[in-house]
Amino acid sequence: GVIHGAAVFLEECLGVRWFLPGEDFEYVPKQSDLNIHELDLFREPAFNYRRRLADGTPGAYPDSLRWSLRHGLTSSFNTSSLVKKHTPEDLFLYELAPAESIEAVGRHGCFLQAAPVEKYLESKPELFALVGGKRAVGKKPHHCLSNPELHQIVADYICDYVQKRNYQVSWLIGCWDSASEWCECSRCQALDGNEKDLNIRQSRRFFTAAKAISDRVLRQDPKVDICCWAYQKYRTPLPEIQLDPRVRINFCVHGRCH
């Protein structure tokens, strides 16, 4: 893109360096004159998705977004993070972000975004986790991950979301951090079997749902960029559940504070 090309020119031809985000880490050599010879520079990245996670908020901070773009990265951004409270230069970068980067969506609120409480609780309560005889418990309720109708609703939502954007979107399937208040319905418990390990039980539930959703998405639109978390209590590899090779796994080597 334009920003990537300009950054390569500044770095390779003029000696400019950006060691870390922020002006304090920029180096701009002083030169009395410029002698630019004929150039023929070409770059074709081996990876389409080149992301740097910045303090838990990819692309949310102007300095981080600017630094990522200057280094040829596809800085992830989220539309909710593109707040208009920055300098004209920042606004310019944010306007270019969709063209130069990839919008990262889904994540913790993947299921709630596709199947919100206010839309489905009254008409389809079975989409939500059954906890203590009640559905949709708490401010951030879990969903019933064994429900095939939920799988289709989420898949349809993902495809519709991607098709309505004129820039790259990467959809991440994930769940809330909470290891409690997962569904207690008979179908979800059937997936648990006699397994005693909570990590394996929740991993089996999550990846069963992730496979069902991603398979549906890729059948509808093979070009959708989709990945899923292996995170918190649902990051145990399960050989019996094989996701499509096109689905990336974001394996988190830690479980946060849980």
Side-chain angles (χ1 to χ4, degrees), residues 50-121:
R50 306 178 305 282
R51 173 185 176 187
R52 169 183 174 269
L53 183 62
D55 300 322
T57 51
Y61 298 122
D63 285 342
S64 174
L65 177 61
R66 186 185 298 110
W67 187 89
S68 295
L69 293 176
R70 286 170 173 171
H71 283 274
L73 302 179
T74 49
S75 177
S76 299
F77 73 95
N78 188 290
T79 50
S80 62
S81 71
L82 303 187
V83 291
K84 306 301 184 181
K85 297 181 180 179
H86 309 294
T87 67
E89 181 188 0
D90 296 331
L91 296 181
F92 173 70
L93 286 170
Y94 280 132
E95 289 173 357
L96 282 179
E100 301 282 345
S101 304
I102 297 175
E103 182 185 13
V105 285
R107 306 163 67 187
H108 290 293
C110 168
F111 292 95
L112 197 60
Q113 186 174 347
V117 173
E118 59 273 16
K119 181 177 180 180
Y120 288 108
L121 180 59

Side-chain angles (χ1 to χ4, degrees), residues 13-84:
C13 299
L14 303 183
V16 177
R17 297 290 185 272
W18 305 281
F19 297 105
L20 290 171
E23 293 184 1
D24 291 341
F25 302 99
E26 293 182 3
Y27 171 70
V28 181
K30 295 182 179 180
Q31 303 182 44
S32 58
D33 54 15
L34 298 176
N35 294 312
I36 307 299
H37 301 288
E38 184 176 347
L39 299 175
D40 184 15
L41 301 176
F42 177 78
R43 299 287 187 276
E44 185 175 8
F47 299 97
N48 181 55
Y49 192 70
R50 306 178 305 282
R51 173 185 176 187
R52 169 183 174 269
L53 183 62
D55 300 322
T57 51
Y61 298 122
D63 285 342
S64 174
L65 177 61
R66 186 185 298 110
W67 187 89
S68 295
L69 293 176
R70 286 170 173 171
H71 283 274
L73 302 179
T74 49
S75 177
S76 299
F77 73 95
N78 188 290
T79 50
S80 62
S81 71
L82 303 187
V83 291
K84 306 301 184 181

Side-chain angles (χ1 to χ4, degrees), residues 35-235:
N35 294 312
I36 307 299
H37 301 288
E38 184 176 347
L39 299 175
D40 184 15
L41 301 176
F42 177 78
R43 299 287 187 276
E44 185 175 8
F47 299 97
N48 181 55
Y49 192 70
R50 306 178 305 282
R51 173 185 176 187
R52 169 183 174 269
L53 183 62
D55 300 322
T57 51
Y61 298 122
D63 285 342
S64 174
L65 177 61
R66 186 185 298 110
W67 187 89
S68 295
L69 293 176
R70 286 170 173 171
H71 283 274
L73 302 179
T74 49
S75 177
S76 299
F77 73 95
N78 188 290
T79 50
S80 62
S81 71
L82 303 187
V83 291
K84 306 301 184 181
K85 297 181 180 179
H86 309 294
T87 67
E89 181 188 0
D90 296 331
L91 296 181
F92 173 70
L93 286 170
Y94 280 132
E95 289 173 357
L96 282 179
E100 301 282 345
S101 304
I102 297 175
E103 182 185 13
V105 285
R107 306 163 67 187
H108 290 293
C110 168
F111 292 95
L112 197 60
Q113 186 174 347
V117 173
E118 59 273 16
K119 181 177 180 180
Y120 288 108
L121 180 59
E122 185 174 346
S123 61
K124 298 181 181 295
E126 66 277 5
L127 296 178
F128 301 91
L130 179 67
V131 181
K134 298 180 180 180
R135 297 281 183 176
V137 175
K139 294 182 178 180
K140 295 180 178 179
H142 284 288
H143 286 68
C144 177
L145 298 184
S146 65
N147 190 323
E149 187 174 11
L150 175 70
H151 304 159
Q152 191 62 56
I153 288 174
V154 176
D156 290 343
Y157 183 90
I158 293 173
C159 290
D160 182 67
Y161 187 98
V162 172
Q163 290 169 5
K164 289 180 178 178
R165 270 65 186 174
N166 60 354
Y167 48 77
Q168 295 185 83
V169 174
S170 178
W171 192 279
L172 174 58
I173 301 175
C175 281
W176 300 119
D177 282 352
S178 173
S180 61
E181 299 179 344
W182 282 53
C183 190
E184 299 169 356
C185 79
S186 58
R187 186 165 46 196
C188 283
Q189 290 182 340
L191 289 174
D192 298 341
N194 297 320
E195 180 58 58
K196 303 298 183 182
D197 190 328
L198 176 63
N199 296 280
I200 295 178
R201 294 203 307 270
Q202 293 194 352
S203 294
R204 183 177 294 141
R205 292 189 186 194
F206 174 77
F207 286 110
T208 295
K211 175 174 173 56
I213 293 168
S214 58
D215 284 350
R216 284 171 167 81
V217 168
L218 293 172
R219 280 198 298 269
Q220 293 183 54
D221 187 350
K223 295 182 180 180
V224 172
D225 182 50
I226 191 166
C227 56
C228 72
W229 261 332
Y231 177 57
Q232 223 265 346
K233 293 294 184 182
Y234 53 92
R235 56 194 176 106

Side-chain angles (χ1 to χ4, degrees), residues 236-251:
T236 301
L238 300 172
E240 67 269 24
I241 303 176
Q242 295 291 321
L243 274 67
D244 189 289
R246 291 169 289 182
V247 179
R248 296 194 313 278
I249 303 295
N250 288 11
F251 182 80

